[in-house]
Structures are given as structure tokens and as C-alpha cells.
Amino acid sequence: MSIDKTSTAAADSAAENPDAAPAAVAAVDPRLLVREQGFAGYLGEFKRKMKAGDLGSIPVVVGLLLIWAIFTSLNSNFLTAGNFSDMSVAMVGTGMIAVGIVFVLLLGEIDLSVGSVSGVAGATFAVLNITHGMNEVLALVLAILTGTVAGTIHGFVFARIGVPAFAVTLAGLLFWQGFMLQILGSNGTINLNSDGIVVKLTSYYFSDVAAAYGLAIVVTAGYFLSAFFDNRRREAAGVPSRPLNEVIVRTVLLAVLVFAAAIVFNQYKGLPLAVVIFLAFLLLTDFVLRRTSYGRMVFALGGSVEASRRAGINVELVRISVFAIAGTFAAMGGLFVASRIASANQGAGAGDFLMNVIAAAVIGGTSLFGGRGRTWDALLGVMVIVSIQYGLALQGVASPVQYMITGGVLLATVVIDAVTRKTQKTAGRA
């Protein structure tokens, strides 16, 4: 539908009801017409967003490129095929847990228990499968369900009883840490079957070059078809849509990125199974948040709990479900972490692991104040963190310095988030 048709429709409505004409005209948001104005419209929209402090993922992407450029200049091995592939697999465990944290942060809450819950999942699988000989698939399912149950308990205490999420999950951190130590026993470490399902999560690669290129084709074609048919639906509904040439340009840019990654993967061992699984869950959760009524309810709660309640949203149920999702992803991430070291041990979820998970979601662009974020933020954030860790490791920098640098990056991100919200309030958009 063109801008002229929109204006005509507004004029017809005004003619039928002259008293309502001023309100009808005022209700039209000029930003809705940006897509039909082509690149000129997007350039104007970009300038408006910059003035309003709505930077989106731009600082993260620029920062990531800067990190890669710095470490590549310091060590030519940083972006080699082998190191890139290792970094991609290493980020999956933390990234999976960060996806669940994104859901919690969208509510404006926090979950401090995910590190301990991830350790419990790995320990549960090891005890059931290795110690008691349970079938691998059944042990895997039960291990993931431990995270779901833990998250549901946290959500219930928070939503129904009214205990702050910080206090509930802090207690959960201690409880599940102790529970993990208890089930692991005095030995403290259980080695996993090197040929088992869990270990293969991070050790298996699709060595055939067709796998990586095939996935790149599927991703590119899927994006184009999704954008194309979304435009058709918008046109049928009479709302502005992206010009076809813009969709093509976006598709080409995506194709360059995914095929470049495919080429790099094929220069080493091939396409990692862990990366495929991670991308699949990112696509699924992104669809849930952006395309379903449940996702809209999550965003609504992050914006205003009282307004959501008055709109008929079951606040308690959504809150409980979000913490259950966070627990489930914590368990899945814990299995990937256990897969990398081929064991479940007492150190799982300890140290800076929890902070890295939360930092990944925040650095990626999810607001600590709720109501703004995407599951893709987990990918961007964990890429930044893992890149810093691997880059500093190649330079032989000690762990204390790595902690300080990661903390500095997190602080800078939170400051940007706070300044952005303040600027948006000044611009009247928050």
C-alpha cells in the first residue's frame, strides 16, 4: 500500500466523521512510512535514532570488529580457521545459558542461579548415565528437566509468593551448588563416555564441505523467503513494507557473512554440530519473542507490570514460564560445558562463569532495565567475551587481567545502556 493510498484512507475517514479527523491524523506515526521511502527513509530514520540514543546493536558490532582487528594485528593466528572454529564451539555453552538470561532480563529481573543449575544438569547426566547405567537419551532428557524444574521453582517463589528474584535465585545458586556437590560424591569428578551423545555435542563436525555450504544456502534462502512473504502479508494488510531492493541488499550482506563462515569452517574440521544446534535455538527463540503472543506478553511485562495486568495478561504465569525457560537453557548450556571437558566436576558453574553469562546478554544489547532485547544479543555478546578471552590467551595475558578487561567491557556496556535510556526519555521515547 502506498503513502498516497494511506492519505486517501485517512481523508475518507475524516469525511465520514469530521469530529474525529484531527485525532485520526495525529494517530499516524511517520516512522511507519520509513520502509516505503526506501534508503532515503532509512537514512533519515538512522539519523533520528542516533539523536534519540537508539543505537541498537551498532556499538556491539563495531566493538567486535575492533577487537578482532586488534588481536589479529597482535597475533596472526587469532582469526585462523582452527582458532575461529574453536571459539565458535567454546561460545555455545555460555551462549545457550545467555539466551535464557535474555528472557529474564526482558522482564527487568535477574537470575543468579543459572551457573549452578548448569552444573547440576551436567552432574545429573553423568550420575544417571555413567554411575547408574541409564540410557543416554533418557538421562539427557532428565538432565534438561532438572533445569526446567529448578527454574519453575524459582519463578513460583518469585511470582506467587513475592520474594524478589535476586534473593530467590541467590538462594538457588547456593542450594543447587550444594546439590551438585552432593550427587557427584566424594570423588567430585565423573568422566563421560567419549563416544556418547553429550561429548559428541561439541566434538562432532560435519566434515563434508557440502554441510557448511548447504547450511549457508538454507539460512540465506530462508531469510529472503521470510522477508519476502512478510512483505506480502504487510501489503495485504495495508501497512508499509520494505522495498524489494532493500530485501535483496540485506540478503546479499547476510550471504557474505554466512558463506565466509562456511569457508572458514571447511578449512578446518568442517561445520561444528554445536554451532548448528545453537543457531537453531536462536532462530526458535527469536521467533517466539517476535512472532508469538507469548513473546509480546514478555515484552509487555518488561515495559509495565501494572499495564500488562490491566490488559488481561496472566503476570504470574508468564513470570514462572520465563524462569522455567531460563532454567531449561541453563541445563542445556551445562551439558555443552560438560561436553567440552568430557566430564562433570565440582568446578562447573563456578568462578567467573555466571558473570560471563550475564555479561554476554547485556553486552549483546539486552537492557538490564527490561523491555528491550533479542535472543540474538546472546550471540553477539558471547562472541565479544570469547574473542577477548582467546585473544588475551594468545598474548599470554594472565587471568586476573582478563577478568579486569571483561569487567571493563561490561561496565562500558551498562553505561551505554543507561545513557541510551536517559537520552530516549529526553527524546520522549521511553
Side-chain angles (χ1 to χ4, degrees), residues 94 124 197 283:
T94 303
T124 299
I197 294 176
L283 288 170

Side-chain angles (χ1 to χ4, degrees), residues 144-288:
I144 294 174
L145 288 178
T146 59
T148 307
V149 171
T152 302
I153 293 173
H154 300 155
F156 180 85
V157 176
F158 164 59
R160 294 297 297 272
I161 301 178
V163 180
F166 177 89
V168 174
T169 57
L170 178 59
L173 181 154
L174 299 173
F175 178 85
W176 298 116
Q177 184 75 19
F179 183 75
M180 178 187 69
L181 298 177
Q182 179 67 31
I183 64 176
L184 283 175
S186 57
N187 185 36
T189 300
I190 300 176
N191 294 324
L192 302 179
N193 180 4
S194 59
D195 293 324
I197 294 176
V198 170
V199 172
K200 285 186 177 180
L201 288 175
T202 56
S203 65
Y204 185 82
Y205 292 78
F206 296 97
S207 56
D208 192 335
V209 295
Y213 293 132
L215 180 61
I217 293 173
V218 169
V219 170
T220 304
Y223 174 81
F224 176 79
L225 293 175
S226 175
F228 179 78
F229 286 111
D230 181 60
N231 280 358
R232 295 287 296 272
R233 288 192 296 270
R234 295 179 68 87
E235 290 172 358
V239 295
S241 59
R242 285 194 180 106
L244 180 59
N245 57 354
E246 184 197 338
V247 174
I248 293 174
V249 170
R250 286 171 175 259
T251 304
V252 170
L253 291 176
L254 176 63
V256 170
L257 292 176
V258 295
F259 275 95
I263 291 172
V264 174
F265 284 138
N266 282 334
Q267 289 178 349
Y268 187 53
K269 296 180 180 179
L271 178 65
L273 173 63
V275 173
V276 176
I277 296 174
F278 186 34
L279 291 177
F281 276 104
L282 284 173
L283 288 170
L284 174 63
T285 51
D286 179 67
F287 176 83
V288 169

